[in-house]
Every structure is written in structure tokens, then in C-alpha cells.
Amino acid sequence: MEAPDADPDVHRVIDAVWRIESPRLIAGLARIVRDVGAAEDLAQDALVAALEKWPRDGIPEKPGAWLMAAAKHRAIDILRHRAVADRKHGDLGREIDARREAAVKDLEDAIDDDIGDDLLRLMFTACHPVLSTEARVALTLRLLGGLSTDEIARAFLVPEATVAQRIVRAKKTLAEKEVPFEVPRGTERASRLESVLEVLYLIFNEGYLATGGEDLTRPGLCEDALRLGRVLSELAPAEPEVHGLVALMEIQASRLRARVGPSGDPVLLADQDRGLWDQLLIGRGLAALERAARLPNGRGPYVLQAEIAACHARASTVAATDWPRIASLYGELARVAPSPVVELNRAVAVGMAFGPAEGLAVVEPLAAEPSLAAYHLLPAVRGDLLAKLGRRSEARAEFERAAALTKNARERSLLLERAAAAAPPRH
């Protein structure tokens, strides 16, 4: 697509414009053509046109509007071409032709309408529960994050062909299931919103602690999830859980620089230089949490997790942290959204608030939980509590088991270091 002698600066501008404008472009087109796959194809056609014309003619004053106009004209051409072809089929053709012309008129009238609702519709469509979790994540990053299949594949350490296949299948499934391009209402809206938030948090968490590879974090994914979360919070301002998730991600992201040492090794919370925590992000997170608190029914799972994160953000040291409140919040979270992982996190807070023996008492029943059998943080937490109790041999075994379970190289090295440190002294 790139001209051989093109100015690389122009292409950098095009890449930046595309990353910003493509979600709005696809959302506006999908509203009219009622097909996410077709909308993305039309948007890609507009991108090709930009790559051909902008290096020669210069960057337009309003590049987003230029792309939308190019896509609109392409959509109108396609609809009219289909109408002409359909005329060959007699009366049925005339009926279809009338519908095609009406669609063209709708496209011309509506394509420049406010796009806020369109973006919300696109989020709900890309995160539809009819798709697998992996497909929802890939499609969201593709359509709303503006990432290429290669970028998504590198972020999640999977082959590019796998990501491309997930996206193709996702668009095909949405078309086959005739998933409407709309914001659902009533009880369905609540369940679908939960899926949207889950996808955004999955993307953020993969950036905050990569499941595999050589790097502990992938900040780019955190930034993508945060950007989409901020957009969602403006599109759905009356949803407390949206503000809760944004608050949680803002506060968690504030610690990214402090979580990794100069050589790329993990830095535990207790050892982090809190001077490196981003106060701007913390401020934004606390403000989002206040927005959630002002809304009715504002103590859902994400709001509660954000309140826990806020306890850490407000503390100048680990010792100054309000651990009893964190333990209490985890107890409330366990009632609202019970899960073994929440209970494991509660064990950490209980151990910090009331002593390692109390924390271990919460952990022990989790050993029989099937869903945590391959979860490396279970033996890691148990190892930490055992080490604090002076049960060094047991602690070492737990850290070694955790190291064997994790797929992240940096995390594995840290766990093996902790295992070595926990080894009983030789006599």
C-alpha cells in the first residue's frame, strides 16, 4: 500500500490518524450497512485511498472527515452497483432497487450524525457473548483499538495467523447470528455491559502482567484499555461500574514504572519506589471513583476493586496502608462477586492486617479448588505466608512450584530467587 518514494513522515501521520479515527469510521459505517465486517472493509478502502493520495496531495485539514467521505462514497458506489445488478431480476429486482436507493439516502443523511452512540454500539457488538473471549478481545483491539493483527499477535504472543483467523471467524459469527448493531436495553444491557468491561479489563491485565514471554508488562495494552475505558465512561456516564473500571485501571497503571527494575525484573509492591507512581493517573483514578460513588447502586465488583487500589494509592508506605480496610473490602467483594481468586487476594490482605497465620488459614481451603490447580499465584501466596512464619522448607517448595507454573520468564526468575532465599541455612 505504501508508495516506494513516499515521505515516511506522511505515513506516520496516516498511521496516527488511522489509530484515532478508525473506530469512529467503522462505527459510523456499521450503523448504516449493519455489518461490522463490511464496515471494516469500507474503512480499509478509505485507508488505501489515503495512502495513495495524501503523500501526493498533502494531509487534508480534517483527515478524519476526509476518511469518512472516502468511505461514504465507496459505500454508496457499492450499494448502487448492487441495485443495478438486482434490476436484472425483474419485479424482485425493482423492490430490492428501491431498498438499495433508500439505504443510499440513509447513508448520505446519517453518516455525519453524532458518532457517540455508534461507538457504544460497536463496543457492545465487538464484545458480544456469542463470541469466544479470545475473539472478543481480538475484535475489540482491531475495531476499537485500531491495532493491526500483527500488533495484537505480538501483544498476546500468538501467531499472527491465529489472530487473523479469530477476527475473521468473529465477524462471520456476528453476521451469521444476525447480531444487531445496537445498544441493548433492560436486563440484557446489564449483562452485555459486563462482557464489555470484562474484555477491557482482560486487555488491561495482559498489559499489567503478561501471561508469557520475556517482559513482565506490556504498557501499550494498558494504554489501549485505558483509552477505550475513558471513551466508554463518556458514552455511558450513568453506569457506576464503568467509572469503577476506569478508576481501577488508572490507579493500577500509575504503578507501571515502579513495577519493573532497571534490568526488567519485577519489583514487589513492598519494595517499589512510590515516588515513581504517576500522581496524574492516581488523581484521575480517584476522580473516576468519586463519579462512581455519586451514582446509585455504585458498589459493584469494579468499584470495590478500585476502592482497594485507592487504599494503596493513598498510602505513603506499605506499613501505612489500611490493611484492615482492604481485607474488609475483599470480604465485601467476595460477597458481591465470589471467586477463588478474590479469596486468595483476601488472604494476602488478612495476612498483612492480622498476621501470616490468619492469612494462611484463609489460603489453605483453596488448595482443593480445581480452578486454581494451575494458578501460580496460589503457591506464591502460600510460600510468602509460610516464609513469614519461618516455615522455610515448605516456603521454598511453594515458590518452586509457583515458578514451574508461570509462563512469564521475569516472574519465574523472581519466584526462583524467593525460593533460594527461603531455603533453610546450611549447618
Side-chain angles (χ1 to χ4, degrees):
M1 287 191 293
E2 185 170 327
D5 298 322
D7 183 349
D9 289 337
V10 173
H11 283 280
R12 278 194 288 271
V13 171
I14 294 174
D15 287 342
V17 169
W18 176 253
R19 187 67 62 95
I20 294 168
E21 298 293 342
S22 61
R24 290 190 275 265
L25 188 62
I26 294 167
L29 292 163
R31 167 165 49 92
I32 305 303
V33 299
R34 317 302 293 183
D35 184 318
V36 170
E40 190 188 10
D41 289 342
L42 289 166
Q44 289 285 342
D45 288 344
L47 175 62
V48 170
L51 287 167
E52 291 174 348
K53 296 181 179 179
W54 292 6
R56 182 190 66 220
D57 301 338
I59 306 296
E61 184 178 346
K62 297 181 178 179
W66 191 100
L67 287 169
M68 185 63 85
K72 178 185 70 173
H73 293 318
R74 176 64 176 151
I76 291 171
D77 287 345
I78 290 173
L79 289 171
R80 284 183 170 149
H81 176 77
R82 289 175 182 170
V84 169
D86 289 337
R87 288 194 189 100
K88 299 176 183 179
H89 298 283
D91 292 338
L92 176 61
R94 281 189 291 276
E95 180 182 341
I96 294 174
D97 178 52
R99 290 204 299 268
R100 297 291 190 202
E101 288 299 331
V104 169
K105 181 68 168 59
D106 287 344
L107 181 63
E108 291 173 327
D109 291 344
I111 199 69
D112 296 320
D113 285 355
D114 179 72
I115 51 78
D117 288 344
D118 291 338
L119 279 173
L120 195 57
R121 292 187 190 102
L122 186 58
M123 281 192 180
F124 276 100
T125 303
C127 299
H128 197 287
V130 74
L131 305 175
S132 70
T133 300
E134 294 82 3
R136 279 180 267 165
V137 168
L139 194 61
T140 299
L141 286 173
R142 172 74 172 184
L143 299 182
L144 288 151
L147 273 66
S148 67
T149 52
D150 176 59
E151 287 172 319
I152 299 168
R154 282 190 279 113
F156 285 89
L157 303 179
V158 294
E160 184 177 357
T162 299
V163 172
Q165 196 172 51
R166 285 174 185 170
I167 293 171
V168 168
R169 286 178 178 171
K171 291 187 286 190
K172 184 178 179 182
T173 298
L174 292 175
E176 288 177 347
K177 299 290 185 181
E178 298 183 344
V179 172
F181 186 72
E182 65 182 15
V183 177
R185 298 181 183 278
T187 56
E188 186 186 357
R189 178 184 172 115
S191 62
R192 289 274 296 281
L193 179 63
E194 184 179 338
S195 176
V196 173
L197 298 179
E198 177 192 14
V199 168
L200 294 185
Y201 199 35
L202 280 171
I203 294 169
F204 180 86
N205 276 336
E206 184 60 30
Y208 191 72
L209 178 58
T211 54
E214 297 296 323
D215 297 319
L216 183 74
T217 65
R218 299 194 182 99
L221 281 177
C222 292
E223 292 168 7
D224 287 321
L226 257 176
R227 178 162 49 85
L228 293 176
R230 290 165 184 159
V231 169
L232 182 58
S233 71
E234 297 307 316
L235 298 178
E239 299 287 352
E241 280 290 82
V242 173
H243 300 301
L245 177 58
V246 171
L248 175 59
M249 293 192 297
E250 299 275 16
I251 296 171
Q252 295 284 70
S254 74
R255 302 202 296 259
L256 278 170
R257 283 185 301 167
R259 294 187 70 240
V260 180
S263 60
D265 295 326
V267 180
L268 297 175
L269 179 64
D271 302 322
Q272 287 177 15
D273 177 358
R274 298 190 176 213
L276 294 176
W277 290 6
D278 190 321
Q279 295 302 313
L280 175 61
L281 290 178
I282 290 174
R284 295 181 67 149
L286 295 177
L289 190 55
E290 287 179 9
R291 289 181 72 180
R294 290 195 294 267
L295 295 169
N297 304 314
R299 291 184 69 79
Y302 290 111
V303 171
L304 289 169
Q305 290 178 79
E307 289 186 12
I308 292 167
C311 287
H312 291 294
R314 293 186 177 109
S316 57
T317 64
V318 172
T321 305
D322 190 348
W323 289 107
R325 173 164 170 74
I326 291 176
S328 174
L329 286 167
Y330 271 120
E332 190 174 348
L333 181 60
R335 290 189 292 274
V336 172
S339 83
V341 173
V342 169
E343 196 65 5
L344 183 62
N345 286 324
R346 187 173 77 86
V348 174
V350 167
M352 293 298 293
F354 308 111
E358 294 292 325
L360 193 60
V362 179
V363 168
E364 296 296 25
L366 298 175
E369 174 57 50
S371 64
L372 296 183
Y375 189 53
H376 70 285
L377 291 182
L378 174 58
V381 169
R382 191 167 186 273
D384 182 67
L385 293 168
L386 288 167
K388 289 176 179 176
L389 289 169
R391 296 162 59 177
R392 301 170 66 114
S393 295
E394 294 172 87
R396 179 183 184 180
E398 291 297 303
F399 284 132
E400 287 175 345
R401 189 158 73 90
L405 288 173
T406 185
K407 296 178 181 178
N408 186 284
R410 298 286 186 180
E411 207 171 15
R412 185 182 305 114
S413 296
L414 175 63
L415 289 165
L416 290 175
E417 287 175 12
R418 299 197 72 189
R426 295 180 179 178
H427 298 290

